[in-house]
Amino acid sequence: MEFAELIRTGQAQAELLRGPEEPPLRGTLCITGHHLLLSPGPQATPDLWLLLLRNVDSIEKRVAGDSGTITLRCKDLRVLQLDIEGVEATLDIARSIEALSSLESVITSFPFFYRPKGLRLGDAWHFHPPECYYKRVARETNAWRLSEANEDFSLCPSYPRAVIVPRAVDDSALARSARFRQGGRFPVLSYYHAPSGTVLLRAGQPLTGPQKRRCSEDEDLLRAVLAGARPGARGFIVDTRSPQAAKQARMTGGGTEAKAAYPGWKRLHRLLETGRPLQESFVRLVEACGDLEQSMDRWLNRLESCRWLSHVKETLSTACLAAQSMEQEGACVLVHGAEGTDSTLLITSLAQLILDPLSRTMAGFQELIEREWVQAGHPFQLRCAHSAFSHARPKHEAPTFLLFLDCVWQLGRQFPLSLEFGEGMLLALFDHAYASPFGTFLCNNEKERCLCEVRTRTHSLWSGLSQPKEQRKLRNPLYVPNPLAIWPSAEPQSLRLWQGLFLRGTRPPEPSEVAWEKVWQIVTDQEKTEGSQPTDSASEAGP
Amino acid sequence: MFMHIDTTPLLPDSLSYLLKLLDRFSTSNKSLTGTLYLTATHLLFIDAHQKETWILHHHIASVEKLALTTSGCPLVIQCKNFRTVHFIVPRERDCHDIYNSLLQLSKQAKYEDLYAFSYNPKQNDAERLRGWELIDLAEEYKRMGVPNSNWQLSDANRDYKICETYPRELYVPRIASKPIIVGSSKFRSKGRFPVLSYYHQSKEAAICRCSQPLSGFSARCLEDEHLLQAISKANPANRYMYVMDTRPRHRVQSWWATQKDIGRIIVRISSKIWNDEKIRESDEKKRLNAMANRAAGKGYENEDNYSNIRFQFVGIENIHVMRSINGTKGLSVNDFYSGLESSGWLRHIKAVMDAAIFLAKAIEAESASVLVHCSDGWDRTSQVCSLGSLLLDPYYRTIRGFMVLIEKDWISFGHKFSERCGHLDGDPKEVSPVFTQFLECVWHLTEQFPQAFEFNEAFLLQIHEHIHSCQFGNFIGNCQKEREELKLKEKTYSLWPFLLDDQKKYLNPLYGSQSQKSAVLEPNTVSFNFKFWRNMYHQFDRTLHPRQSVFNIIMNMNEQNKQLEKDIKDLESQTDGILSKELLNSVRPESPALKATLSLKEQALLPVNDVLRTIEGSSPADNRYSEYADEFSKAEPAVVSLEYGVARMTC
C-alpha cells in the first residue's frame, strides 16, 4: 500500500498549541507516511517539531470562517491543538491523520523504517533471551532445564522458543500439558528465588471443562516442581479470578486445578480485574484528570469512582502475597488467570521486583520487561491499540502494562533509593508501549515477531534507551543497591495518584522537576568532590 | 524530639501494669508484651525489647474501653498528634484503674497544672529570658518598614484597655487619632478594630485585620469609617482597598448594605472566596468586574455571593472518624476517598489557600491594601493573613521567619490556642483544628514549591506536636494579656530556641533556588494538587510510610559535600603552606604533617552515610497483606477470617 494515497494534502500553514506553559509554534505543517511535521521556518530557533502519527488516539476538527482547528489527543495522554489556515486544508489534514494513524499493518509501521544514527540493526536484541536467565538459574540449582520443545511455536504460540521447565519432565510430557492449558501455556519457570530455593511459575488456566478433566502430565509437572524445590515443599496456586468466575469458566472449557489432583498445592483466589473494566477505569481517570474546573468534592468523588487506585492496591497486595509465600512460607507459587497473559504477568513481574534486587537495576528491569512481558506473550498490539481518548468501542484494549508501571512507580515512591531507574524510565516505557519508533513492543507474541522479522528489521528499544544522552532522564540519582526484599505498603493512605503521568496533559511542568535537577546536581557534586579526594574512601560503597 | 526522658522523674508511686500493645496497621499476630508506667506527665510503655514508648498526658485526646475479650480488656487511646495506641490489659480492674487515671491526668483544670510549669530543661534564668527574647516583634515590624510616614505605633492598647485580646503594641495609620480608634473598637466585636498585620514595603500596601462589625448597634459608625478611610489613604500607591469578609453567609449581617457611603473607596470582595465551587472561574472575572465598576465610580456590591459553607468548626472529628473506620480489616481505597470527600477537609484547605492567594494577588498585582475579617478575627483571619504574608514575603519561609509569623499573626493577635487545642478541661465545642489547617496549607505549599522553604516537613510536625504538648509556654493561654497574667515568661520556657538549636533536623536540603526563594508564590489550587497529608495524620503508623527518605539522603549528601569542599580547601591551604615551607627548608617531599591530616580526614569521611543509608527493607509482617498469609495454614479461609479476630487477641 502506498502512503501517498492516504495523504490528501502535502502541507499547510498552522499554529501548534502544546500546553499551558509551552509557547505556541507557528510554521508549515507537513504530513508524511508516519509523521506530522511542523517546520517553524528558517529564522526560528526551535527545530522541527515531530509527532508520530501512531501516537494519535483521537482527532477532533472544528471549522470556523476560513480556518480550522484540529485537536489531537495522543496515546501518551498529551493534548495538542493545531490551528490551520484554510478550511479545505484543515479537513484534508484531519482526514489524512485519521487514515494514517489507524493503519493496522505491522510491517509498514514506522519501526521498520526508522534508522537512527549511531545504532546498528540487530543491536541489543540479543540482550535478554531466556537462555541468559537460564544460566542464572542453573548456577543456583540443577532442578530445571532449558527446553526447546517450543522451537517452532507449535506447543504454544505465545511462548518464546525456549522455556525453563523442571528437569524431571520431558518434552513429550510438556506437549501434553500444553494441550491441557489455555493457549498452550503450560507451567513454566518465571523466577527462581535463590535465598529460599522456591520458584515462581506462570501458566494459562487448565482446561478442565464441565467434565472436570485431568491431565496426568500436568499434575506430574507440578509435582516435579515441588520435588525439585525441597522435600515436603508446599505450593500455592494464585488464581487471579474470583472463585465464582473460576468455577464458571468450566462451562466454557476452562477451570481450575482440582484439589485432589494436585497434592501439596493449595489454591488462593485474588480477583484482579482485566480487560474492559480496567480500560474503563483508565478512561474515566484520564477524563477526571482533564477537568481543571472541578471542585474538590467532585474530584475526590471521581478519583474514587474510577477505581484506578483500587486496582493498584489489589495488584500490589496480590503481588506481595505471592512474594511473601515464596520468601516467608518457603512455598512455590504458580500464578494464572484465564489466559495467563495479563494479570498473571502483572503478579509475576511485580513479585520479582519485590524479591529480586537484580531486577531493580536498570539492566535487570529491562530484562524483566523483555522476559516477563514481551517474550511471555503479553499481547501489546491488541492491548495498546488505543489509549484513553479513543472513541472507538474497546475490543481488546486494556492498560495492563500501564497498571504494572503504576505499581512500580508506587514501589519507587515507597523505596526511593532502591530502584536504579526513575520515573522517566516508566514514562518512557508507557510512551513506547503505545507508540514507538522501536520494534520492542510490536506484535502480540514471539511467533508474530518472528514472522514479521522484527528482530532483524527494527531497532530494539533497549539500544535506544542505552544511549548516553537518555541516561539522565531515566536514572534515579539516589540509587543505592539494596540486597533485601522491598515490601511496599498497599494501604490506600500510602498510594498516590501518579501525577507525572495522568496529569501530564493538564498541568505545567512541576516545580519538583526543578527540584530533581537540584538533586542531580547535589549527587554529581558529591561524586566530583569525592573523586577529587586524594584517597577515595569507601564511604560510597553500598552493600 | 528533645523532650522528656531524662527530665521526667518516675514517680515513686508510679503505677505499673503488665499488658500488651497492638499495632493497628501491622496485623501480624504478634503483639508486644510489656509494662505500662504512669508518671505525672507521661504514659510510658516498655516492651520486652526495652523499647520505650512515651506519650505525654496532654496529648491524649480520648481514652476508650472496649468490650472485654478473652485475653483481657482492650483500651484505646487516641492522641491529639494522631497517634492511636491499643493496649490489652489482662485484668479488668487494672484497666479500669488506668482508664480513670488517664482521664484525670489528661484533663487539667488549671493552667498551673500544665506540663510547661514543671518542665525544666536545665537552663538558668538568663538563658530562659534570652530564649523568650529570641523572637522580637518590634524588630519584625521594623523589618517590614513600619513605623514610617504613613503608619505609626499606637499606644492606645498599652494597658489592654481597648482590646483585651490584642497585643499591647499595635500599628495603625498615622492619621487615625486615638478617638477614632476608640470609637471604631466599640463598633467591632471584642473591640478588635482594624490594625496592621503585614506591611509590604515596596508596594506600600498593607494587610490589616479586624473582627466583624457589631450588629444591633447603630447601623453606622463614623469612627470606623474614618479608620477604614485612613487605612486606604495610608497607601499612596493605590487608594482602593479590598475588604475580605471570610464569614459564611448565614453569619453576615446586613451591615454592609448601609455602607454605600464609603462604597466609593471600598471595593468589597465578599466571601465568594469561601465558595470554592465557583472560585476558579469566577476569581479572575470578579476582579475584572470590580475594577470596571470602580472605573465607573461605583462600589462593588453583591450580597448574593455569600456561600453556605460552615467553615469554622468542622474537621478534626471527621479525620478521626476516617481513622477509626480502620478496624482490623484494611480500609478499601473507595472507603478512603469517600471518607476524605465527606469530611470536607481538603475543601476547607483549598478555600483557605484560595483566599490567601487572592490576598497576595491584590497586594502584588494592584498594590491595594486589604482588610481581612471573619467573625472575631482570630481564626480564619489569622489563617488568611499569615498564609497571605507567607506567599508574599520570602522571609517567612525561613525557619526563623516562620517562627516570627506564628508569633505575630497567631500568638500575639490572640488566636485562642488553649481553647482551640483543648489544653484545659473546657468546652469541647471550642476545640477546632484551625492552626492545624494552617500548617497543612503550608505543607501543601512546600509540596508545590519544594525549593521555596528553608524548613522541611519535620519542622511543621514538630510545631504541631508542641501546640498540644504544653511543654513550652508559647501556646498556653488565649491571648497576650492572659499570658502575662500567667507569668509564662518567668515560669516556662519558649519553644523557639530549642527548635533553632535543632535546626539541622528541620532544614530543607533543596532550599535555595533563586527563582523560588525570592519570588511571590503563586500556587495552583486545582483540586488535584491537594493530597492527604499522610505524614501528619498517620505520623505514628510507621508501616504506611515510605521506607526510605529522600530528604534525609539529600540533606546528608549536601552536608557531606560541604564538608568535603571545606576539607579540600583546608588541605589545599595546608599543602600550599607546607609546599612553600618545603621550598624554603628543602625538606623531604613527604611531609608527615600532611599525611596525618589526610588520615584524619579519611576518618571524618567514613561514618557519614552509614546511618542513613542503612537499608530499611521492612518485614512483610508489617504490612496488611500479611493477613492473607494466615489463610495458608488454615483449612478454610472463610472461617478463618472470623477466627482471626479472636486469634489476635489470644496470643
Side-chain angles (χ1 to χ4, degrees), chain B residues 416-455:
Chain B
K416 303 196 287 179
F417 274 105
S418 272
E419 284 194 4
R420 293 289 178 259
C421 301
H423 289 162
L424 298 180
D425 203 5
D427 183 0
K429 274 194 256 136
E430 284 289 315
V431 176
S432 174
V434 179
F435 189 73
T436 309
Q437 279 187 331
F438 165 69
L439 290 179
E440 180 161 338
C441 289
V442 178
W443 174 76
H444 275 109
L445 288 176
T446 63
E447 285 282 290
Q448 274 200 43
F449 302 97
Q451 294 181 276
F453 291 82
E454 192 191 5
F455 50 84

Side-chain angles (χ1 to χ4, degrees), chain A residues 187-203:
Chain A
V188 294
L189 180 102
S190 159
Y191 168 62
Y192 178 76
H193 188 52
S196 63
T198 51
V199 291
L200 184 62
L201 306 159
R202 52 181 155 75

Side-chain angles (χ1 to χ4, degrees), chain A residues 268 289 294 297 304 328 414-418 482 487-488 491-494 499 507 511 514 522 526 532, chain B residues 331 337-338 347 448 451 527-529 538 544 547-548 550 557 560-561 568 615 618 620 624-625 628 632:
Chain A
L268 297 169
C289 289
Q294 61 200 331
D297 289 358
E304 176 209 331
Q328 244 67 33
Q414 295 192 24
F415 296 88
L417 313 182
S418 296
N482 176 353
W487 300 105
E491 296 293 328
Q493 292 95 325
S494 309
Q499 298 205 337
R507 59 195 267 142
V514 189
I522 292 172
Q526 163 138 22
S532 62
Chain B
L331 193 61
Y337 280 100
S338 55
R347 190 175 64 217
Q448 274 200 43
Q451 294 181 276
S527 305
F528 326 126
N529 284 340
H538 286 288
L544 293 183
R547 304 306 149 78
Q548 294 168 319
V550 176
M557 281 190 184
Q560 208 180 348
N561 280 355
I568 292 171
I615 296 113
S618 51
R624 167 107 14 216
Y625 44 78
Y628 302 133
F632 297 163

Side-chain angles (χ1 to χ4, degrees), chain A residues 188-300:
Chain A
V188 294
L189 180 102
S190 159
Y191 168 62
Y192 178 76
H193 188 52
S196 63
T198 51
V199 291
L200 184 62
L201 306 159
R202 52 181 155 75
Q205 64 175 337
L207 300 174
T208 52
Q211 282 87 39
K212 300 195 181 173
R213 281 199 307 135
R214 290 173 59 168
C215 169
S216 63
E217 285 81 3
D218 193 72
E219 290 161 20
D220 289 345
L221 198 158
L222 288 188
R223 197 174 308 124
V225 168
L226 292 188
R230 86 181 122 79
R234 294 180 306 155
F236 291 106
I237 297 172
V238 177
D239 192 325
T240 63
R241 300 165 294 177
S242 67
Q244 295 78 16
K247 219 172 251 169
Q248 268 170 9
R250 263 199 243 135
M251 294 300 125
T252 50
T256 54
E257 291 83 353
K259 209 183 278 176
Y262 297 88
W265 289 90
K266 182 167 162 29
R267 231 170 46 229
L268 297 169
H269 288 276
R270 288 285 169 273
L271 172 62
L272 295 181
E273 282 181 289
T274 51
R276 175 115 16 125
L278 197 60
Q279 178 72 9
E280 273 165 14
S281 166
F282 177 41
V283 170
R284 288 173 69 185
L285 175 61
V286 170
E287 216 173 81
C289 289
D291 185 354
L292 291 167
E293 304 289 322
Q294 61 200 331
S295 73
M296 202 70 228
D297 289 358
R298 178 109 180 88
W299 161 243
L300 289 174

